[in-house]
Amino acid sequence: MADPFEVRMRFTSLLHHLNASTSSALKAASYALKHADYSDDLHSCILEQLERNSMNNRANIMYFLPALCDVAKEKGEVSYGRMMERDILRIVDAVAPEDGTGAANVKVVRKVLRGLEGKGYLQARTVGELEEWIGGRDLMDGGAVSPAQALLPDQAVQSLEAAVLPTAMRSTPHSTARDAYSLTSGIRLDKRQIEQRIEEDRERHKRAREGIWAVPQVGMNLADDAEFEREWEADSDVDEDDVQLTKEEAEERSVALEYEEPVVTISAD
């Protein structure tokens, strides 16, 4: 049996190095599932990292929760999902605190909550109450959008071209990050953290666009093609008119081939 302290330290390291890639989330989720005997301790690690780490890392851990629930569900492990549901209020408050330091994470929280609701990990009533509870946390100073929020939306393109920044400040991502940092009041963000968040949001947005047309494959049997079945159901049933139209098109093609002039090749001899 593995040493509990070693398991905690390893899992804490995996949480600390989470990023926008799917592989990092799956690696941490697989490790948590491998050591499901310590699920209580590993869940406490998640809460500790949410309350201690930077805004970017808190967002990455929030995105990690659905992956953990999915992997655990596939293996029949329900403890992680139950503990997440039990402590969801604490989780949300850690990712997007009321003091405004996590204003840029409010969109992340809403997106993940809706995803958890869609997968059945959270009830619709719970999600609705949480969204109402965090309402206004992405606003500061009586309703003004915080510079951090304007600079760090879900889509990286918007973060580089945010209307809140003057045109002269949009020359490069580096100058934008530097000037936004100097203008930020109440939230002190390091330039490196800003640039990292922009890149991670861009990566997530790209993966979301890549998966728009993806059809989830149910089960491991490759003979059951989910995409083929969807297309088959979408097409209308073949009737006599379709058969007749196919015959007519085949006859037209055969006639066209008969009248097609052969290509004459002239020899150089």
Side-chain angles (χ1 to χ4, degrees), residues 34 63 79 82 135 164:
K34 179 181 178 181
Y63 278 117
S79 58
R82 289 176 178 175
V164 71

Side-chain angles (χ1 to χ4, degrees), residues 47-74:
L47 297 178
E48 291 173 3
Q49 293 303 304
L50 283 174
E51 294 171 349
R52 295 179 181 178
N53 274 305
S54 65
M55 177 187 64
N56 291 348
N57 190 254
R58 282 179 278 166
N60 290 331
I61 295 176
M62 190 69 188
Y63 278 117
F64 161 71
L65 292 178
L68 175 60
C69 292
D70 290 341
V71 173
K73 183 179 180 180
E74 291 178 0

Side-chain angles (χ1 to χ4, degrees), residues 5-255:
F5 179 76
E6 182 182 354
V7 172
R8 283 181 60 92
M9 293 300 295
R10 174 61 177 165
F11 187 63
T12 299
S13 177
L14 291 173
L15 292 176
H16 186 71
H17 291 89
L18 284 173
N19 51 46
S21 67
T22 305
S23 59
S24 67
L26 292 178
K27 184 178 180 180
S30 299
Y31 186 84
L33 191 62
K34 179 181 178 181
H35 299 282
D37 294 339
Y38 304 104
S39 58
D40 290 337
D41 289 338
L42 298 185
H43 179 73
S44 67
C45 289
I46 295 175
L47 297 178
E48 291 173 3
Q49 293 303 304
L50 283 174
E51 294 171 349
R52 295 179 181 178
N53 274 305
S54 65
M55 177 187 64
N56 291 348
N57 190 254
R58 282 179 278 166
N60 290 331
I61 295 176
M62 190 69 188
Y63 278 117
F64 161 71
L65 292 178
L68 175 60
C69 292
D70 290 341
V71 173
K73 183 179 180 180
E74 291 178 0
K75 301 299 182 180
E77 178 64 45
V78 298
S79 58
Y80 289 109
R82 289 176 178 175
M83 288 186 290
M84 181 275 299
E85 183 179 9
R86 181 194 66 195
D87 296 327
I88 189 62
L89 185 65
R90 182 179 174 182
I91 292 171
V92 169
D93 193 45
V95 178
E98 190 176 5
D99 59 7
T101 56
N105 285 343
V106 174
K107 289 184 178 181
V108 174
V109 171
R110 291 196 178 106
K111 183 177 180 180
V112 174
L113 287 177
R114 291 166 187 167
L116 293 171
E117 176 192 353
K119 295 180 179 181
Y121 300 125
L122 292 176
Q123 298 180 1
R125 179 180 177 181
T126 301
V127 173
E129 292 175 351
L130 288 171
E131 289 185 337
E132 182 179 357
W133 182 53
I134 63 175
R137 292 196 179 189
D138 52 347
L139 303 176
M140 298 179 60
D141 301 329
V145 180
S146 66
Q149 181 196 7
L151 186 63
L152 303 173
D154 284 341
Q155 297 184 4
V157 177
Q158 294 179 3
S159 65
L160 294 177
E161 300 177 352
V164 71
L165 298 176
T167 305
M169 298 170 57
R170 301 179 193 158
S171 56
T172 64
H174 292 278
S175 62
T176 303
R178 181 178 61 253
D179 295 335
Y181 173 74
S182 64
L183 290 175
T184 303
S185 60
I187 302 177
R188 305 300 295 178
L189 294 177
D190 183 77
K191 181 180 70 172
R192 182 184 60 81
Q193 293 181 352
I194 295 175
E195 295 173 349
Q196 177 187 359
R197 181 60 175 271
I198 291 174
E199 292 298 327
E200 290 179 348
D201 284 346
R202 179 184 290 114
E203 178 65 22
R204 289 192 182 95
H205 182 60
K206 181 179 69 174
R207 288 195 288 107
R209 294 183 63 183
E210 290 175 350
I212 289 177
W213 304 108
V215 180
Q217 181 71 28
V218 180
M220 299 299 295
N221 187 6
L222 298 181
D224 299 330
D225 192 332
E227 185 173 0
F228 173 80
E229 294 296 335
R230 187 186 69 170
E231 295 298 329
W232 179 268
E233 294 295 334
D235 293 336
S236 60
D237 295 335
V238 179
D239 53 20
E240 295 181 358
D241 293 337
D242 295 324
V243 175
Q244 182 63 30
L245 180 61
T246 303
K247 290 181 179 179
E248 293 176 357
E249 291 178 350
E251 293 176 356
E252 291 177 357
R253 284 195 297 270
S254 62
V255 172

